[in-house]
Amino acid sequence: MTIILLLGKAIFAIIWLALLALLSGLVVEMSTQAYGLIAMLLGVLVIMHLLLLGIFVATMKSQLPWKKGDGWQILIFGIFGWLTIYARQSDD
């Protein structure tokens, strides 16, 4: 399970870095339409992770130990951040 969590976090980190690199223009020059599409995809990713964070806090925060930075972990890594917090509970 630990390897799956680390792999998932690595994949999400690569996705974030790739999207941010594309938006900053470090990788290639893009047309306005391509830039808009990438910005929209990044926005959808942020909204999905915010929804996941809200769902997690509403349903699981009282049942699982909450540490500083857990909200950011869910926001950045999505379901893999949530699973990491959940796995920490089962390890204790």
Side-chain angles (χ1 to χ4, degrees):
M1 180 75 166
T2 304
I3 292 177
I4 292 171
L5 292 175
L6 290 174
L7 184 62
K9 286 182 176 184
I11 290 170
F12 264 105
I14 291 168
I15 291 170
W16 279 109
L17 290 173
L19 287 173
L20 292 172
L22 284 171
L23 283 178
S24 67
L26 293 175
V27 181
V28 294
E29 289 293 322
M30 290 187 295
S31 67
T32 305
Q33 287 181 335
Y35 186 84
L37 178 64
I38 298 298
M40 186 177 70
L41 289 172
L42 188 60
V44 167
L45 184 64
V46 169
I47 289 169
M48 286 175 44
H49 285 203
L50 284 171
L51 287 171
L52 181 65
L53 178 60
I55 291 168
F56 179 81
V57 169
T59 60
M60 302 297 281
K61 186 175 179 181
S62 62
Q63 298 171 4
L64 296 175
W66 190 260
K67 293 183 180 178
K68 186 177 181 178
D70 283 348
W72 286 107
Q73 183 170 203
I74 294 171
L75 184 62
I76 295 170
F77 300 116
I79 191 71
F80 294 103
W82 177 81
L83 288 173
T84 300
I85 296 167
Y86 189 72
R88 180 176 51 204
Q89 172 67 18
S90 59
D91 286 343
D92 292 341

mmCIF file with all atom_site columns, all heavy atoms in Angstrom, residues 62-88:
data_model
loop_
_atom_site.group_PDB
_atom_site.id
_atom_site.type_symbol
_atom_site.label_atom_id
_atom_site.label_alt_id
_atom_site.label_comp_id
_atom_site.label_asym_id
_atom_site.label_entity_id
_atom_site.label_seq_id
_atom_site.pdbx_PDB_ins_code
_atom_site.Cartn_x
_atom_site.Cartn_y
_atom_site.Cartn_z
_atom_site.occupancy
_atom_site.B_iso_or_equiv
_atom_site.pdbx_formal_charge
_atom_site.auth_seq_id
_atom_site.auth_comp_id
_atom_site.auth_asym_id
_atom_site.auth_atom_id
_atom_site.pdbx_PDB_model_num
ATOM 1   N N   . SER A 1 62 ? -13.424 14.023 12.191 1.00 0.00 ? 62 SER A N   1
ATOM 2   C CA  . SER A 1 62 ? -13.644 13.654 13.592 1.00 0.00 ? 62 SER A CA  1
ATOM 3   C C   . SER A 1 62 ? -13.221 12.220 13.886 1.00 0.00 ? 62 SER A C   1
ATOM 4   O O   . SER A 1 62 ? -12.960 11.877 15.032 1.00 0.00 ? 62 SER A O   1
ATOM 5   C CB  . SER A 1 62 ? -15.118 13.851 13.943 1.00 0.00 ? 62 SER A CB  1
ATOM 6   O OG  . SER A 1 62 ? -15.924 13.000 13.152 1.00 0.00 ? 62 SER A OG  1
ATOM 7   N N   . GLN A 1 63 ? -13.140 11.384 12.866 1.00 0.00 ? 63 GLN A N   1
ATOM 8   C CA  . GLN A 1 63 ? -12.820 9.973  13.067 1.00 0.00 ? 63 GLN A CA  1
ATOM 9   C C   . GLN A 1 63 ? -11.333 9.663  12.916 1.00 0.00 ? 63 GLN A C   1
ATOM 10  O O   . GLN A 1 63 ? -10.859 8.654  13.429 1.00 0.00 ? 63 GLN A O   1
ATOM 11  C CB  . GLN A 1 63 ? -13.607 9.118  12.076 1.00 0.00 ? 63 GLN A CB  1
ATOM 12  C CG  . GLN A 1 63 ? -15.095 9.241  12.260 1.00 0.00 ? 63 GLN A CG  1
ATOM 13  C CD  . GLN A 1 63 ? -15.866 8.559  11.148 1.00 0.00 ? 63 GLN A CD  1
ATOM 14  O OE1 . GLN A 1 63 ? -15.280 7.934  10.274 1.00 0.00 ? 63 GLN A OE1 1
ATOM 15  N NE2 . GLN A 1 63 ? -17.177 8.687  11.175 1.00 0.00 ? 63 GLN A NE2 1
ATOM 16  N N   . LEU A 1 64 ? -10.605 10.497 12.179 1.00 0.00 ? 64 LEU A N   1
ATOM 17  C CA  . LEU A 1 64 ? -9.184  10.246 11.939 1.00 0.00 ? 64 LEU A CA  1
ATOM 18  C C   . LEU A 1 64 ? -8.343  11.341 12.586 1.00 0.00 ? 64 LEU A C   1
ATOM 19  O O   . LEU A 1 64 ? -8.778  12.482 12.687 1.00 0.00 ? 64 LEU A O   1
ATOM 20  C CB  . LEU A 1 64 ? -8.893  10.219 10.433 1.00 0.00 ? 64 LEU A CB  1
ATOM 21  C CG  . LEU A 1 64 ? -9.555  9.097  9.635  1.00 0.00 ? 64 LEU A CG  1
ATOM 22  C CD1 . LEU A 1 64 ? -9.268  9.273  8.150  1.00 0.00 ? 64 LEU A CD1 1
ATOM 23  C CD2 . LEU A 1 64 ? -9.069  7.746  10.099 1.00 0.00 ? 64 LEU A CD2 1
ATOM 24  N N   . PRO A 1 65 ? -7.134  10.995 13.019 1.00 0.00 ? 65 PRO A N   1
ATOM 25  C CA  . PRO A 1 65 ? -6.252  12.025 13.588 1.00 0.00 ? 65 PRO A CA  1
ATOM 26  C C   . PRO A 1 65 ? -5.867  13.044 12.516 1.00 0.00 ? 65 PRO A C   1
ATOM 27  O O   . PRO A 1 65 ? -5.468  12.681 11.422 1.00 0.00 ? 65 PRO A O   1
ATOM 28  C CB  . PRO A 1 65 ? -5.041  11.239 14.079 1.00 0.00 ? 65 PRO A CB  1
ATOM 29  C CG  . PRO A 1 65 ? -5.058  9.978  13.292 1.00 0.00 ? 65 PRO A CG  1
ATOM 30  C CD  . PRO A 1 65 ? -6.497  9.690  12.961 1.00 0.00 ? 65 PRO A CD  1
ATOM 31  N N   . TRP A 1 66 ? -6.015  14.296 12.824 1.00 0.00 ? 66 TRP A N   1
ATOM 32  C CA  . TRP A 1 66 ? -5.765  15.378 11.877 1.00 0.00 ? 66 TRP A CA  1
ATOM 33  C C   . TRP A 1 66 ? -4.493  16.089 12.288 1.00 0.00 ? 66 TRP A C   1
ATOM 34  O O   . TRP A 1 66 ? -4.389  16.609 13.389 1.00 0.00 ? 66 TRP A O   1
ATOM 35  C CB  . TRP A 1 66 ? -6.951  16.336 11.890 1.00 0.00 ? 66 TRP A CB  1
ATOM 36  C CG  . TRP A 1 66 ? -6.942  17.356 10.821 1.00 0.00 ? 66 TRP A CG  1
ATOM 37  C CD1 . TRP A 1 66 ? -6.543  18.655 10.955 1.00 0.00 ? 66 TRP A CD1 1
ATOM 38  C CD2 . TRP A 1 66 ? -7.353  17.210 9.468  1.00 0.00 ? 66 TRP A CD2 1
ATOM 39  N NE1 . TRP A 1 66 ? -6.689  19.306 9.767  1.00 0.00 ? 66 TRP A NE1 1
ATOM 40  C CE2 . TRP A 1 66 ? -7.185  18.451 8.839  1.00 0.00 ? 66 TRP A CE2 1
ATOM 41  C CE3 . TRP A 1 66 ? -7.840  16.133 8.730  1.00 0.00 ? 66 TRP A CE3 1
ATOM 42  C CZ2 . TRP A 1 66 ? -7.487  18.643 7.500  1.00 0.00 ? 66 TRP A CZ2 1
ATOM 43  C CZ3 . TRP A 1 66 ? -8.146  16.336 7.404  1.00 0.00 ? 66 TRP A CZ3 1
ATOM 44  C CH2 . TRP A 1 66 ? -7.974  17.568 6.803  1.00 0.00 ? 66 TRP A CH2 1
ATOM 45  N N   . LYS A 1 67 ? -3.502  16.114 11.412 1.00 0.00 ? 67 LYS A N   1
ATOM 46  C CA  . LYS A 1 67 ? -2.238  16.790 11.701 1.00 0.00 ? 67 LYS A CA  1
ATOM 47  C C   . LYS A 1 67 ? -2.115  18.034 10.837 1.00 0.00 ? 67 LYS A C   1
ATOM 48  O O   . LYS A 1 67 ? -2.777  18.160 9.808  1.00 0.00 ? 67 LYS A O   1
ATOM 49  C CB  . LYS A 1 67 ? -1.056  15.853 11.413 1.00 0.00 ? 67 LYS A CB  1
ATOM 50  C CG  . LYS A 1 67 ? -0.990  14.669 12.342 1.00 0.00 ? 67 LYS A CG  1
ATOM 51  C CD  . LYS A 1 67 ? 0.239   13.839 12.051 1.00 0.00 ? 67 LYS A CD  1
ATOM 52  C CE  . LYS A 1 67 ? 0.315   12.647 12.974 1.00 0.00 ? 67 LYS A CE  1
ATOM 53  N NZ  . LYS A 1 67 ? 1.460   11.799 12.679 1.00 0.00 ? 67 LYS A NZ  1
ATOM 54  N N   . LYS A 1 68 ? -1.244  18.924 11.252 1.00 0.00 ? 68 LYS A N   1
ATOM 55  C CA  . LYS A 1 68 ? -0.998  20.139 10.485 1.00 0.00 ? 68 LYS A CA  1
ATOM 56  C C   . LYS A 1 68 ? -0.463  19.750 9.103  1.00 0.00 ? 68 LYS A C   1
ATOM 57  O O   . LYS A 1 68 ? 0.428   18.919 8.980  1.00 0.00 ? 68 LYS A O   1
ATOM 58  C CB  . LYS A 1 68 ? 0.024   21.013 11.213 1.00 0.00 ? 68 LYS A CB  1
ATOM 59  C CG  . LYS A 1 68 ? 0.225   22.348 10.576 1.00 0.00 ? 68 LYS A CG  1
ATOM 60  C CD  . LYS A 1 68 ? 1.180   23.201 11.382 1.00 0.00 ? 68 LYS A CD  1
ATOM 61  C CE  . LYS A 1 68 ? 1.328   24.548 10.716 1.00 0.00 ? 68 LYS A CE  1
ATOM 62  N NZ  . LYS A 1 68 ? 2.197   25.435 11.473 1.00 0.00 ? 68 LYS A NZ  1
ATOM 63  N N   . GLY A 1 69 ? -1.045  20.309 8.078  1.00 0.00 ? 69 GLY A N   1
ATOM 64  C CA  . GLY A 1 69 ? -0.610  20.023 6.717  1.00 0.00 ? 69 GLY A CA  1
ATOM 65  C C   . GLY A 1 69 ? -1.428  18.959 6.009  1.00 0.00 ? 69 GLY A C   1
ATOM 66  O O   . GLY A 1 69 ? -1.237  18.740 4.812  1.00 0.00 ? 69 GLY A O   1
ATOM 67  N N   . ASP A 1 70 ? -2.333  18.298 6.718  1.00 0.00 ? 70 ASP A N   1
ATOM 68  C CA  . ASP A 1 70 ? -3.142  17.265 6.072  1.00 0.00 ? 70 ASP A CA  1
ATOM 69  C C   . ASP A 1 70 ? -4.060  17.849 5.003  1.00 0.00 ? 70 ASP A C   1
ATOM 70  O O   . ASP A 1 70 ? -4.291  17.235 3.969  1.00 0.00 ? 70 ASP A O   1
ATOM 71  C CB  . ASP A 1 70 ? -3.963  16.490 7.101  1.00 0.00 ? 70 ASP A CB  1
ATOM 72  C CG  . ASP A 1 70 ? -3.134  15.475 7.867  1.00 0.00 ? 70 ASP A CG  1
ATOM 73  O OD1 . ASP A 1 70 ? -1.982  15.213 7.451  1.00 0.00 ? 70 ASP A OD1 1
ATOM 74  O OD2 . ASP A 1 70 ? -3.635  14.949 8.872  1.00 0.00 ? 70 ASP A OD2 1
ATOM 75  N N   . GLY A 1 71 ? -4.581  19.028 5.263  1.00 0.00 ? 71 GLY A N   1
ATOM 76  C CA  . GLY A 1 71 ? -5.433  19.685 4.260  1.00 0.00 ? 71 GLY A CA  1
ATOM 77  C C   . GLY A 1 71 ? -4.675  19.961 2.977  1.00 0.00 ? 71 GLY A C   1
ATOM 78  O O   . GLY A 1 71 ? -5.186  19.735 1.875  1.00 0.00 ? 71 GLY A O   1
ATOM 79  N N   . TRP A 1 72 ? -3.431  20.425 3.110  1.00 0.00 ? 72 TRP A N   1
ATOM 80  C CA  . TRP A 1 72 ? -2.608  20.682 1.926  1.00 0.00 ? 72 TRP A CA  1
ATOM 81  C C   . TRP A 1 72 ? -2.285  19.386 1.192  1.00 0.00 ? 72 TRP A C   1
ATOM 82  O O   . TRP A 1 72 ? -2.238  19.355 -0.035 1.00 0.00 ? 72 TRP A O   1
ATOM 83  C CB  . TRP A 1 72 ? -1.319  21.404 2.307  1.00 0.00 ? 72 TRP A CB  1
ATOM 84  C CG  . TRP A 1 72 ? -1.549  22.830 2.633  1.00 0.00 ? 72 TRP A CG  1
ATOM 85  C CD1 . TRP A 1 72 ? -1.514  23.400 3.873  1.00 0.00 ? 72 TRP A CD1 1
ATOM 86  C CD2 . TRP A 1 72 ? -1.886  23.877 1.715  1.00 0.00 ? 72 TRP A CD2 1
ATOM 87  N NE1 . TRP A 1 72 ? -1.806  24.736 3.777  1.00 0.00 ? 72 TRP A NE1 1
ATOM 88  C CE2 . TRP A 1 72 ? -2.033  25.056 2.470  1.00 0.00 ? 72 TRP A CE2 1
ATOM 89  C CE3 . TRP A 1 72 ? -2.082  23.928 0.350  1.00 0.00 ? 72 TRP A CE3 1
ATOM 90  C CZ2 . TRP A 1 72 ? -2.363  26.273 1.880  1.00 0.00 ? 72 TRP A CZ2 1
ATOM 91  C CZ3 . TRP A 1 72 ? -2.405  25.146 -0.237 1.00 0.00 ? 72 TRP A CZ3 1
ATOM 92  C CH2 . TRP A 1 72 ? -2.544  26.296 0.513  1.00 0.00 ? 72 TRP A CH2 1
ATOM 93  N N   . GLN A 1 73 ? -2.061  18.330 1.964  1.00 0.00 ? 73 GLN A N   1
ATOM 94  C CA  . GLN A 1 73 ? -1.753  17.037 1.347  1.00 0.00 ? 73 GLN A CA  1
ATOM 95  C C   . GLN A 1 73 ? -2.916  16.561 0.472  1.00 0.00 ? 73 GLN A C   1
ATOM 96  O O   . GLN A 1 73 ? -2.725  16.078 -0.640 1.00 0.00 ? 73 GLN A O   1
ATOM 97  C CB  . GLN A 1 73 ? -1.439  16.007 2.428  1.00 0.00 ? 73 GLN A CB  1
ATOM 98  C CG  . GLN A 1 73 ? -1.045  14.681 1.887  1.00 0.00 ? 73 GLN A CG  1
ATOM 99  C CD  . GLN A 1 73 ? -0.507  13.731 2.929  1.00 0.00 ? 73 GLN A CD  1
ATOM 100 O OE1 . GLN A 1 73 ? 0.202   12.836 2.565  1.00 0.00 ? 73 GLN A OE1 1
ATOM 101 N NE2 . GLN A 1 73 ? -0.804  13.876 4.196  1.00 0.00 ? 73 GLN A NE2 1
ATOM 102 N N   . ILE A 1 74 ? -4.136  16.726 0.982  1.00 0.00 ? 74 ILE A N   1
ATOM 103 C CA  . ILE A 1 74 ? -5.310  16.340 0.190  1.00 0.00 ? 74 ILE A CA  1
ATOM 104 C C   . ILE A 1 74 ? -5.471  17.259 -1.002 1.00 0.00 ? 74 ILE A C   1
ATOM 105 O O   . ILE A 1 74 ? -5.772  16.811 -2.109 1.00 0.00 ? 74 ILE A O   1
ATOM 106 C CB  . ILE A 1 74 ? -6.577  16.343 1.069  1.00 0.00 ? 74 ILE A CB  1
ATOM 107 C CG1 . ILE A 1 74 ? -6.474  15.265 2.131  1.00 0.00 ? 74 ILE A CG1 1
ATOM 108 C CG2 . ILE A 1 74 ? -7.828  16.141 0.215  1.00 0.00 ? 74 ILE A CG2 1
ATOM 109 C CD1 . ILE A 1 74 ? -7.565  15.310 3.169  1.00 0.00 ? 74 ILE A CD1 1
ATOM 110 N N   . LEU A 1 75 ? -5.247  18.549 -0.807 1.00 0.00 ? 75 LEU A N   1
ATOM 111 C CA  . LEU A 1 75 ? -5.385  19.507 -1.907 1.00 0.00 ? 75 LEU A CA  1
ATOM 112 C C   . LEU A 1 75 ? -4.391  19.214 -3.024 1.00 0.00 ? 75 LEU A C   1
ATOM 113 O O   . LEU A 1 75 ? -4.731  19.281 -4.207 1.00 0.00 ? 75 LEU A O   1
ATOM 114 C CB  . LEU A 1 75 ? -5.208  20.934 -1.395 1.00 0.00 ? 75 LEU A CB  1
ATOM 115 C CG  . LEU A 1 75 ? -5.415  22.037 -2.407 1.00 0.00 ? 75 LEU A CG  1
ATOM 116 C CD1 . LEU A 1 75 ? -6.838  22.025 -2.945 1.00 0.00 ? 75 LEU A CD1 1
ATOM 117 C CD2 . LEU A 1 75 ? -5.108  23.383 -1.791 1.00 0.00 ? 75 LEU A CD2 1
ATOM 118 N N   . ILE A 1 76 ? -3.187  18.856 -2.684 1.00 0.00 ? 76 ILE A N   1
ATOM 119 C CA  . ILE A 1 76 ? -2.154  18.623 -3.703 1.00 0.00 ? 76 ILE A CA  1
ATOM 120 C C   . ILE A 1 76 ? -2.260  17.225 -4.316 1.00 0.00 ? 76 ILE A C   1
ATOM 121 O O   . ILE A 1 76 ? -2.206  17.074 -5.531 1.00 0.00 ? 76 ILE A O   1
ATOM 122 C CB  . ILE A 1 76 ? -0.748  18.841 -3.100 1.00 0.00 ? 76 ILE A CB  1
ATOM 123 C CG1 . ILE A 1 76 ? -0.576  20.305 -2.714 1.00 0.00 ? 76 ILE A CG1 1
ATOM 124 C CG2 . ILE A 1 76 ? 0.339   18.415 -4.086 1.00 0.00 ? 76 ILE A CG2 1
ATOM 125 C CD1 . ILE A 1 76 ? 0.662   20.585 -1.913 1.00 0.00 ? 76 ILE A CD1 1
ATOM 126 N N   . PHE A 1 77 ? -2.425  16.211 -3.476 1.00 0.00 ? 77 PHE A N   1
ATOM 127 C CA  . PHE A 1 77 ? -2.362  14.836 -3.968 1.00 0.00 ? 77 PHE A CA  1
ATOM 128 C C   . PHE A 1 77 ? -3.719  14.163 -4.133 1.00 0.00 ? 77 PHE A C   1
ATOM 129 O O   . PHE A 1 77 ? -3.789  13.008 -4.544 1.00 0.00 ? 77 PHE A O   1
ATOM 130 C CB  . PHE A 1 77 ? -1.482  13.979 -3.058 1.00 0.00 ? 77 PHE A CB  1
ATOM 131 C CG  . PHE A 1 77 ? -0.071  14.470 -2.969 1.00 0.00 ? 77 PHE A CG  1
ATOM 132 C CD1 . PHE A 1 77 ? 0.437   14.916 -1.768 1.00 0.00 ? 77 PHE A CD1 1
ATOM 133 C CD2 . PHE A 1 77 ? 0.733   14.503 -4.087 1.00 0.00 ? 77 PHE A CD2 1
ATOM 134 C CE1 . PHE A 1 77 ? 1.738   15.375 -1.675 1.00 0.00 ? 77 PHE A CE1 1
ATOM 135 C CE2 . PHE A 1 77 ? 2.038   14.963 -4.015 1.00 0.00 ? 77 PHE A CE2 1
ATOM 136 C CZ  . PHE A 1 77 ? 2.538   15.399 -2.798 1.00 0.00 ? 77 PHE A CZ  1
ATOM 137 N N   . GLY A 1 78 ? -4.793  14.845 -3.793 1.00 0.00 ? 78 GLY A N   1
ATOM 138 C CA  . GLY A 1 78 ? -6.125  14.298 -3.995 1.00 0.00 ? 78 GLY A CA  1
ATOM 139 C C   . GLY A 1 78 ? -6.367  13.039 -3.189 1.00 0.00 ? 78 GLY A C   1
ATOM 140 O O   . GLY A 1 78 ? -6.093  12.981 -1.994 1.00 0.00 ? 78 GLY A O   1
ATOM 141 N N   . ILE A 1 79 ? -6.878  12.028 -3.849 1.00 0.00 ? 79 ILE A N   1
ATOM 142 C CA  . ILE A 1 79 ? -7.253  10.786 -3.182 1.00 0.00 ? 79 ILE A CA  1
ATOM 143 C C   . ILE A 1 79 ? -6.051  10.110 -2.538 1.00 0.00 ? 79 ILE A C   1
ATOM 144 O O   . ILE A 1 79 ? -6.177  9.462  -1.506 1.00 0.00 ? 79 ILE A O   1
ATOM 145 C CB  . ILE A 1 79 ? -7.980  9.829  -4.166 1.00 0.00 ? 79 ILE A CB  1
ATOM 146 C CG1 . ILE A 1 79 ? -8.613  8.642  -3.428 1.00 0.00 ? 79 ILE A CG1 1
ATOM 147 C CG2 . ILE A 1 79 ? -7.044  9.320  -5.239 1.00 0.00 ? 79 ILE A CG2 1
ATOM 148 C CD1 . ILE A 1 79 ? -9.790  9.003  -2.595 1.00 0.00 ? 79 ILE A CD1 1
ATOM 149 N N   . PHE A 1 80 ? -4.871  10.304 -3.085 1.00 0.00 ? 80 PHE A N   1
ATOM 150 C CA  . PHE A 1 80 ? -3.686  9.672  -2.493 1.00 0.00 ? 80 PHE A CA  1
ATOM 151 C C   . PHE A 1 80 ? -3.306  10.339 -1.181 1.00 0.00 ? 80 PHE A C   1
ATOM 152 O O   . PHE A 1 80 ? -2.794  9.690  -0.268 1.00 0.00 ? 80 PHE A O   1
ATOM 153 C CB  . PHE A 1 80 ? -2.520  9.666  -3.481 1.00 0.00 ? 80 PHE A CB  1
ATOM 154 C CG  . PHE A 1 80 ? -2.791  8.794  -4.660 1.00 0.00 ? 80 PHE A CG  1
ATOM 155 C CD1 . PHE A 1 80 ? -3.150  9.330  -5.882 1.00 0.00 ? 80 PHE A CD1 1
ATOM 156 C CD2 . PHE A 1 80 ? -2.730  7.417  -4.554 1.00 0.00 ? 80 PHE A CD2 1
ATOM 157 C CE1 . PHE A 1 80 ? -3.431  8.529  -6.961 1.00 0.00 ? 80 PHE A CE1 1
ATOM 158 C CE2 . PHE A 1 80 ? -3.007  6.597  -5.630 1.00 0.00 ? 80 PHE A CE2 1
ATOM 159 C CZ  . PHE A 1 80 ? -3.367  7.155  -6.840 1.00 0.00 ? 80 PHE A CZ  1
ATOM 160 N N   . GLY A 1 81 ? -3.547  11.633 -1.045 1.00 0.00 ? 81 GLY A N   1
ATOM 161 C CA  . GLY A 1 81 ? -3.354  12.306 0.239  1.00 0.00 ? 81 GLY A CA  1
ATOM 162 C C   . GLY A 1 81 ? -4.340  11.813 1.273  1.00 0.00 ? 81 GLY A C   1
ATOM 163 O O   . GLY A 1 81 ? -3.995  11.574 2.434  1.00 0.00 ? 81 GLY A O   1
ATOM 164 N N   . TRP A 1 82 ? -5.608  11.643 0.848  1.00 0.00 ? 82 TRP A N   1
ATOM 165 C CA  . TRP A 1 82 ? -6.631  11.127 1.746  1.00 0.00 ? 82 TRP A CA  1
ATOM 166 C C   . TRP A 1 82 ? -6.284  9.709  2.195  1.00 0.00 ? 82 TRP A C   1
ATOM 167 O O   . TRP A 1 82 ? -6.409  9.377  3.369  1.00 0.00 ? 82 TRP A O   1
ATOM 168 C CB  . TRP A 1 82 ? -7.985  11.150 1.037  1.00 0.00 ? 82 TRP A CB  1
ATOM 169 C CG  . TRP A 1 82 ? -9.089  10.588 1.847  1.00 0.00 ? 82 TRP A CG  1
ATOM 170 C CD1 . TRP A 1 82 ? -9.782  11.230 2.825  1.00 0.00 ? 82 TRP A CD1 1
ATOM 171 C CD2 . TRP A 1 82 ? -9.610  9.259  1.768  1.00 0.00 ? 82 TRP A CD2 1
ATOM 172 N NE1 . TRP A 1 82 ? -10.721 10.378 3.350  1.00 0.00 ? 82 TRP A NE1 1
ATOM 173 C CE2 . TRP A 1 82 ? -10.644 9.166  2.732  1.00 0.00 ? 82 TRP A CE2 1
ATOM 174 C CE3 . TRP A 1 82 ? -9.325  8.155  0.988  1.00 0.00 ? 82 TRP A CE3 1
ATOM 175 C CZ2 . TRP A 1 82 ? -11.367 8.000  2.919  1.00 0.00 ? 82 TRP A CZ2 1
ATOM 176 C CZ3 . TRP A 1 82 ? -10.049 6.995  1.179  1.00 0.00 ? 82 TRP A CZ3 1
ATOM 177 C CH2 . TRP A 1 82 ? -11.061 6.928  2.131  1.00 0.00 ? 82 TRP A CH2 1
ATOM 178 N N   . LEU A 1 83 ? -5.862  8.878  1.261  1.00 0.00 ? 83 LEU A N   1
ATOM 179 C CA  . LEU A 1 83 ? -5.502  7.497  1.607  1.00 0.00 ? 83 LEU A CA  1
ATOM 180 C C   . LEU A 1 83 ? -4.297  7.437  2.537  1.00 0.00 ? 83 LEU A C   1
ATOM 181 O O   . LEU A 1 83 ? -4.197  6.534  3.373  1.00 0.00 ? 83 LEU A O   1
ATOM 182 C CB  . LEU A 1 83 ? -5.245  6.684  0.342  1.00 0.00 ? 83 LEU A CB  1
ATOM 183 C CG  . LEU A 1 83 ? -6.483  6.343  -0.477 1.00 0.00 ? 83 LEU A CG  1
ATOM 184 C CD1 . LEU A 1 83 ? -6.083  5.685  -1.801 1.00 0.00 ? 83 LEU A CD1 1
ATOM 185 C CD2 . LEU A 1 83 ? -7.426  5.461  0.303  1.00 0.00 ? 83 LEU A CD2 1
ATOM 186 N N   . THR A 1 84 ? -3.371  8.378  2.410  1.00 0.00 ? 84 THR A N   1
ATOM 187 C CA  . THR A 1 84 ? -2.210  8.425  3.295  1.00 0.00 ? 84 THR A CA  1
ATOM 188 C C   . THR A 1 84 ? -2.658  8.703  4.736  1.00 0.00 ? 84 THR A C   1
ATOM 189 O O   . THR A 1 84 ? -2.179  8.070  5.674  1.00 0.00 ? 84 THR A O   1
ATOM 190 C CB  . THR A 1 84 ? -1.220  9.500  2.833  1.00 0.00 ? 84 THR A CB  1
ATOM 191 O OG1 . THR A 1 84 ? -0.787  9.182  1.517  1.00 0.00 ? 84 THR A OG1 1
ATOM 192 C CG2 . THR A 1 84 ? -0.021  9.581  3.757  1.00 0.00 ? 84 THR A CG2 1
ATOM 193 N N   . ILE A 1 85 ? -3.584  9.633  4.897  1.00 0.00 ? 85 ILE A N   1
ATOM 194 C CA  . ILE A 1 85 ? -4.112  9.939  6.236  1.00 0.00 ? 85 ILE A CA  1
ATOM 195 C C   . ILE A 1 85 ? -4.860  8.720  6.769  1.00 0.00 ? 85 ILE A C   1
ATOM 196 O O   . ILE A 1 85 ? -4.728  8.361  7.935  1.00 0.00 ? 85 ILE A O   1
ATOM 197 C CB  . ILE A 1 85 ? -5.012  11.186 6.175  1.00 0.00 ? 85 ILE A CB  1
ATOM 198 C CG1 . ILE A 1 85 ? -4.179  12.403 5.755  1.00 0.00 ? 85 ILE A CG1 1
ATOM 199 C CG2 . ILE A 1 85 ? -5.690  11.430 7.516  1.00 0.00 ? 85 ILE A CG2 1
ATOM 200 C CD1 . ILE A 1 85 ? -4.999  13.605 5.375  1.00 0.00 ? 85 ILE A CD1 1
ATOM 201 N N   . TYR A 1 86 ? -5.636  8.089  5.929  1.00 0.00 ? 86 TYR A N   1
ATOM 202 C CA  . TYR A 1 86 ? -6.390  6.911  6.332  1.00 0.00 ? 86 TYR A CA  1
ATOM 203 C C   . TYR A 1 86 ? -5.439  5.766  6.709  1.00 0.00 ? 86 TYR A C   1
ATOM 204 O O   . TYR A 1 86 ? -5.661  5.064  7.692  1.00 0.00 ? 86 TYR A O   1
ATOM 205 C CB  . TYR A 1 86 ? -7.316  6.479  5.191  1.00 0.00 ? 86 TYR A CB  1
ATOM 206 C CG  . TYR A 1 86 ? -8.283  5.402  5.575  1.00 0.00 ? 86 TYR A CG  1
ATOM 207 C CD1 . TYR A 1 86 ? -9.357  5.666  6.418  1.00 0.00 ? 86 TYR A CD1 1
ATOM 208 C CD2 . TYR A 1 86 ? -8.128  4.109  5.096  1.00 0.00 ? 86 TYR A CD2 1
ATOM 209 C CE1 . TYR A 1 86 ? -10.248 4.670  6.766  1.00 0.00 ? 86 TYR A CE1 1
ATOM 210 C CE2 . TYR A 1 86 ? -9.018  3.108  5.435  1.00 0.00 ? 86 TYR A CE2 1
ATOM 211 C CZ  . TYR A 1 86 ? -10.077 3.403  6.288  1.00 0.00 ? 86 TYR A CZ  1
ATOM 212 O OH  . TYR A 1 86 ? -10.943 2.417  6.623  1.00 0.00 ? 86 TYR A OH  1
ATOM 213 N N   . ALA A 1 87 ? -4.363  5.577  5.945  1.00 0.00 ? 87 ALA A N   1
ATOM 214 C CA  . ALA A 1 87 ? -3.394  4.516  6.244  1.00 0.00 ? 87 ALA A CA  1
ATOM 215 C C   . ALA A 1 87 ? -2.658  4.799  7.543  1.00 0.00 ? 87 ALA A C   1
ATOM 216 O O   . ALA A 1 87 ? -2.302  3.871  8.276  1.00 0.00 ? 87 ALA A O   1
ATOM 217 C CB  . ALA A 1 87 ? -2.399  4.370  5.089  1.00 0.00 ? 87 ALA A CB  1
ATOM 218 N N   . ARG A 1 88 ? -2.430  6.067  7.839  1.00 0.00 ? 88 ARG A N   1
ATOM 219 C CA  . ARG A 1 88 ? -1.769  6.424  9.095  1.00 0.00 ? 88 ARG A CA  1
ATOM 220 C C   . ARG A 1 88 ? -2.625  5.973  10.281 1.00 0.00 ? 88 ARG A C   1
ATOM 221 O O   . ARG A 1 88 ? -2.101  5.506  11.281 1.00 0.00 ? 88 ARG A O   1
ATOM 222 C CB  . ARG A 1 88 ? -1.558  7.936  9.133  1.00 0.00 ? 88 ARG A CB  1
ATOM 223 C CG  . ARG A 1 88 ? -0.892  8.421  10.384 1.00 0.00 ? 88 ARG A CG  1
ATOM 224 C CD  . ARG A 1 88 ? -0.600  9.893  10.367 1.00 0.00 ? 88 ARG A CD  1
ATOM 225 N NE  . ARG A 1 88 ? -1.791  10.649 10.002 1.00 0.00 ? 88 ARG A NE  1
ATOM 226 C CZ  . ARG A 1 88 ? -1.782  11.859 9.470  1.00 0.00 ? 88 ARG A CZ  1
ATOM 227 N NH1 . ARG A 1 88 ? -0.651  12.455 9.207  1.00 0.00 ? 88 ARG A NH1 1
ATOM 228 N NH2 . ARG A 1 88 ? -2.890  12.487 9.188  1.00 0.00 ? 88 ARG A NH2 1
#
